[in-house]
Amino acid sequence: MADGFDELMAAARAVRANAHAPYSNFKVGAAIRGESGRIFVGANVENAAYPQGQCAEASAIGAMVAAGDRRIAAIAVVGGEPGNELCTPCGGCRQRIREFAAPDTPIHVGDPAGLRRSFTLEALLPHSFGPTNLAF
Ligand code: THU
């Protein structure tokens, strides 16, 4: 597919293998195409103190920001298994993506076998609150 889609999905799938998910056994990988064209990856990082766990999308956003990019052109999330429910981003991660993305930014959701479904940010987080809602 065009625009490096295959590369983005492959990056999300590859980084999923590095997830630290000993408590849920639910490994997730995320890959972001930044505005520079670079790809930033992250995996979920769980913790023995359960609430301190971090989602794959949050890890990838941190990598993007640390590297200097500030816009998400596209994001791919790979988790779960074929036949199971989609590994759509959680509510908190939808908001995290919102900070750096546009309403039409694609969010590709897959499992290790490949793409399952593509959404836009607007579809997953309608009527969202973002930087422009702050009146200063
Ligand atoms: N998880 C993610 O990393 N991203 C998602 O989109 C959904 C859920 C993680 C959080 C936790 O480590 C595990 O998957 C089970 O919820």
Side-chain angles (χ1 to χ4, degrees), residues 8-9 30-33 57 60-61 72-77 89 97 105-109:
L8 196 67
M9 288 298 297
I32 291 170
R33 177 78 67 184
E57 296 90 327
I61 288 170
I72 298 173
I75 180 167
V77 181
I97 294 166
T105 298
I107 298 174
H108 304 296
V109 177

Side-chain angles (χ1 to χ4, degrees), residues 13-86:
R13 177 182 170 173
V15 72
R16 177 179 175 271
N18 293 335
H20 176 70
Y23 308 108
S24 71
N25 285 316
F26 192 87
K27 292 186 167 195
V28 184
I32 291 170
R33 177 78 67 184
E35 84 260 24
S36 66
R38 293 177 291 173
I39 289 177
F40 306 100
V41 297
N44 53 332
V45 183
E46 297 184 350
N47 193 283
Y50 293 175
Q52 301 308 320
Q54 175 161 296
C55 287
E57 296 90 327
S59 298
I61 288 170
M64 180 191 79
V65 170
D69 271 25
R70 287 292 183 274
R71 299 301 295 168
I72 298 173
I75 180 167
V77 181
V78 171
E81 302 294 339
N84 291 356
E85 288 197 35
L86 294 178

Side-chain angles (χ1 to χ4, degrees), residues 90-100 121 125 128-130:
C90 75
C93 283
R94 295 176 195 201
Q95 184 66 35
R96 291 186 178 96
I97 294 166
R98 164 69 179 88
E99 183 74 11
F100 304 103
L121 173 63
L125 194 67
S128 65
F129 186 92

